[in-house]
Amino acid sequence: MKQISLFAEENRMQKLSALGDCLERLKIIDWESFRSIIALALIRERKSNAGRRPFDSVMLFKTIVLQRLYNLSDDQTKFQINDRMSFMRFLGLGLASFTTNFWFGCASHAQNS
């Protein structure tokens, strides 16, 4: 069995770019500029500081953008985020990111909003 290189993830990302990852075109968008608008829409009073911290609102927004661009259901979005390196890169996630819990939180958060 071939040993995985220390730079395997970086090499795969470079190969994706060379093949024409269409999500890279969205790099021109300043996603952080949406943070204040999203924050206004997501204002909720927390009952206590217990429990996990809320997911990043900009990442949630970018996930919804992916869902709309590719016409994905919640389950398919969860699968594609875990499966596609281009989706992970777009969301700022790496191979070591625990994306299943991320998407579960996003889906339930979006339904409750």
Side-chain angles (χ1 to χ4, degrees):
M1 180 175 211
K2 186 176 179 182
Q3 185 175 356
I4 296 175
S5 165
L6 181 62
F7 301 103
E9 184 175 356
E10 185 178 327
N11 293 340
R12 292 285 302 273
M13 293 299 185
Q14 288 175 353
K15 189 179 276 189
L16 274 174
S17 295
L19 292 170
D21 179 8
C22 62
L23 291 175
E24 282 193 305
R25 294 180 190 155
L26 298 179
K27 280 184 178 179
I28 63 169
I29 298 171
D30 178 18
W31 296 101
E32 286 299 317
S33 66
F34 293 99
R35 188 174 295 280
S36 59
I37 298 166
I38 297 167
L40 290 174
L42 297 178
I43 293 176
R44 287 214 174 111
E45 188 176 325
R46 292 189 69 168
K47 296 176 184 170
S48 75
N49 287 330
R52 90 172 149 69
R53 301 184 114 198
F55 290 105
D56 181 58
S57 58
V58 173
M59 189 182 298
L60 171 61
F61 178 61
K62 288 169 78 172
T63 302
I64 294 169
V65 168
L66 283 175
Q67 197 171 25
R68 299 298 181 253
L69 278 175
Y70 291 94
N71 196 26
L72 300 170
S73 68
D74 288 346
D75 288 336
Q76 269 300 304
T77 303
K78 181 173 140 180
F79 175 79
Q80 295 297 339
I81 290 170
N82 281 285
D83 188 54
R84 288 188 179 191
M85 293 189 78
S86 59
F87 278 29
M88 286 188 238
R89 175 170 50 188
F90 177 71
L91 294 172
L93 302 170
L95 289 175
S97 301
F98 195 61
T99 56
T100 303
N101 276 352
F102 163 71
W103 178 247
F104 174 75
C106 289
S108 63
H109 185 75
Q111 289 171 355
N112 294 331
S113 296

